[in-house]
C-alpha cells in the first residue's frame, strides 16, 4: 500500500537552508536558543520554571555523586547536558509537524558510541593494563576465563549499541504509533464515522500523556546508564 510508507515520512531529514541546515539541525539550534535565553534570565529568588530547573540540577548532581561514590562530580556537566539535550529534543518532538532528532539512530548511536569510547580511553589512562580486569569477573574459576572474557567483552561493546538503540527505537515506535492512530482517526472522519473516530482520538490523548513521560524517562535512563559506565572507569571492581 502507498499509505504504509507515509508513516515513515515524519522521519525524513530535509535540507532547508543551503546544503547544511536541515530540519534536524534546526531543532538542535532551537533547543540551544531556548537554553541560552532561559539561562540569561536567572533570578536570585527563583521563578517557578527556575525552581524546577534547580530541582532537576540538584537531583542529577546527587545521582552523579551517588553512582560514582563521590569521585565523578566533574562529570556532572556532561550528564546534565546530555539530559537537557535528549529530554529537550524528545519533548519538542511531541509537537505536531516537528522533527525529532533523537528518533534517529545516527544521533543517539553517535552519542552512545562517543560515550563508550571516552569511557574506555578514561579507564585505560587511569588504570593502564588493570582496566582489562573489567573483562574478567573476580572469583570466577580460571577454567572458565576464556569464555567469560569473550562474553564480558561482547557485553561491554554492546553497551554502546543498546544505549543508543533503546532511545531511538522507543521514540520512533512512539511516533509511528501516533501516525498510525492519527491516520486511523482521519480515515474514520473522512468516511463520516464521526462518533467512531472518538475511539482512536481518545487513545491518542492517553498515548500523548504516556509519551510525555516516556520522553523524560528515556532521557533519564540514558543519563543514569552513562553515569554508571563512567563509574566503571573510576572504581575498578
Ligand atoms: C518506550 O519505553 C517505555 C519504558 O521506558 C515503555 O513503557 C513504552 O511502552 C515504550 N514505547 C513504545 C512505543 O514501545
Amino acid at each position: 500500500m502507498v499509505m504504509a510508507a507515509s508513516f515513515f515520512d515524519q522521519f525524513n531529514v530535509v535540507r532547508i537552508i543551503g546544503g547544511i541546515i536541515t530540519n534536524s539541525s534546526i531543532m538542535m539550534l532551537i533547543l540551544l536558543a531556548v537554553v541560552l535565553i532561559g539561562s540569561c534570565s536567572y533570578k536570585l529568588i527563583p521563578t517557578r520554571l527556575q525552581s524546577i530547573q534547580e530541582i532537576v540540577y540538584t537531583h542529577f548532581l546527587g545521582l552523579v555523586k551517588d553512582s560514582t561514590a563521590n569521585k565523578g562530580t566533574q562529570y556532572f556537566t556532561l550528564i546534565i547536558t546530555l539530559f537537557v539535550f535528549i529530554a529537550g529534543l524528545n519533548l519538542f518532538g511531541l509537537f505536531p509537524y516537528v522533527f525529532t532528532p533523537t528518533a534517529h539512530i545516527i544521533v543517539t548511536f553517535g552519542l552512545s558510541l562517543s560515550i563508550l569510547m571516552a569511557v574506555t580511553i578514561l579507564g585505560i589512562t587511569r588504570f593502564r593494563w588493570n582496566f582489562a580486569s573489567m573483562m574478567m569477573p573476580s572469583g570466577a574459576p580460571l577454567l572458565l576465563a576464556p569464555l567469560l572474557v569473550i562474553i564480558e567483552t561482547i557485553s561491554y561493546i554492546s553497551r554502546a549499541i543498546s544505549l543508543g538503540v533503546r532511545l531511538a527505537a522507543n521514540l520512533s515506535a512512539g511516533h509511528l504509533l501516533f501516525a498510525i492512530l492519527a491516520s486511523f482517526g482521519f480515515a474514520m472522519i473522512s468516511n463520516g464515522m464521526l462518533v467512531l473516530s472518538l475511539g482512536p482520538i481518545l487513545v491518542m490523548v492517553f498515548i500523548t500523556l504516556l509519551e510525555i513521560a516516556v520522553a523524560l524517562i528515556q532521557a533519564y535512563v540514558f543519563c543514569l546508564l552513562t553515569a554508571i559506565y563512567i563509574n566503571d572507569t573510576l572504581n575498578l571492581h
Side-chain angles (χ1 to χ4, degrees):
M1 277 210 332
V2 190
M3 275 294 290
S6 67
F7 293 139
F8 289 88
D9 286 353
Q10 58 177 320
F11 300 119
N12 284 350
V13 177
V14 185
R15 290 205 168 114
I16 292 179
I17 305 165
I20 310 165
I21 305 288
T22 62
N23 50 359
S24 181
S25 47
I26 279 186
M27 286 318 295
M28 297 181 195
L29 290 174
I30 291 176
L31 179 67
L32 184 66
V34 168
V35 170
L36 286 180
I37 293 169
S39 54
C40 282
S41 57
Y42 285 142
K43 304 269 179 349
L44 190 58
I45 298 166
T47 57
R48 275 199 205 95
L49 217 58
Q50 191 184 334
S51 296
I52 296 173
Q53 202 180 338
E54 286 175 6
I55 292 169
V56 172
Y57 269 52
T58 319
H59 178 81
F60 272 94
L61 186 58
L63 181 141
V64 173
K65 281 184 176 168
D66 286 349
S67 50
T68 60
N70 286 324
K71 282 189 197 162
T73 316
Q74 73 264 39
Y75 300 108
F76 163 69
T77 340
L78 169 73
I79 304 282
I80 194 75
T81 310
L82 268 178
F83 182 76
V84 171
F85 182 77
I86 297 171
L89 291 178
N90 287 355
L91 288 175
F92 285 171
L94 288 175
F95 289 97
Y97 295 103
V98 172
F99 181 84
T100 321
T102 40
H104 278 259
I105 299 261
I106 191 67
V107 175
T108 60
F109 182 68
L111 281 178
S112 63
L113 187 66
S114 323
I115 289 169
L116 189 89
M117 280 162 59
V119 155
T120 310
I121 293 169
L122 271 174
I124 291 172
T125 50
R126 200 178 175 88
F127 295 112
R128 306 284 157 186
W129 281 106
N130 286 340
F131 189 62
S133 72
M134 281 265 311
M135 307 304 171
M136 177 68 198
S138 54
L142 213 57
L143 202 66
L144 283 175
L147 191 66
L148 280 174
V149 168
I150 291 170
I151 292 172
E152 288 291 317
T153 309
I154 292 172
S155 96
Y156 184 81
I157 293 167
S158 67
R159 283 172 166 191
I161 299 165
S162 71
L163 193 62
V165 169
R166 177 187 303 110
L167 177 60
N170 195 271
L171 282 164
S172 324
H175 281 72
L176 274 178
L177 199 61
F178 272 132
I180 290 166
L181 280 169
S183 83
F184 196 39
F186 184 76
M188 281 177 168
I189 290 172
S190 43
N191 285 307
M193 295 181 276
L194 276 181
V195 180
L196 215 59
S197 74
L198 281 178
I201 291 171
L202 274 180
V203 173
M204 278 186 75
V205 171
F206 286 115
I207 301 265
T208 306
L209 295 177
L210 179 80
E211 283 296 315
I212 294 172
V214 164
L216 295 172
I217 291 167
Q218 287 296 333
Y220 189 83
V221 166
F222 195 99
C223 297
L224 181 65
L225 287 173
T226 305
I228 291 172
Y229 297 160
I230 288 174
N231 177 46
D232 284 343
T233 70
L234 299 173
N235 303 299
L236 213 55
H237 49 83

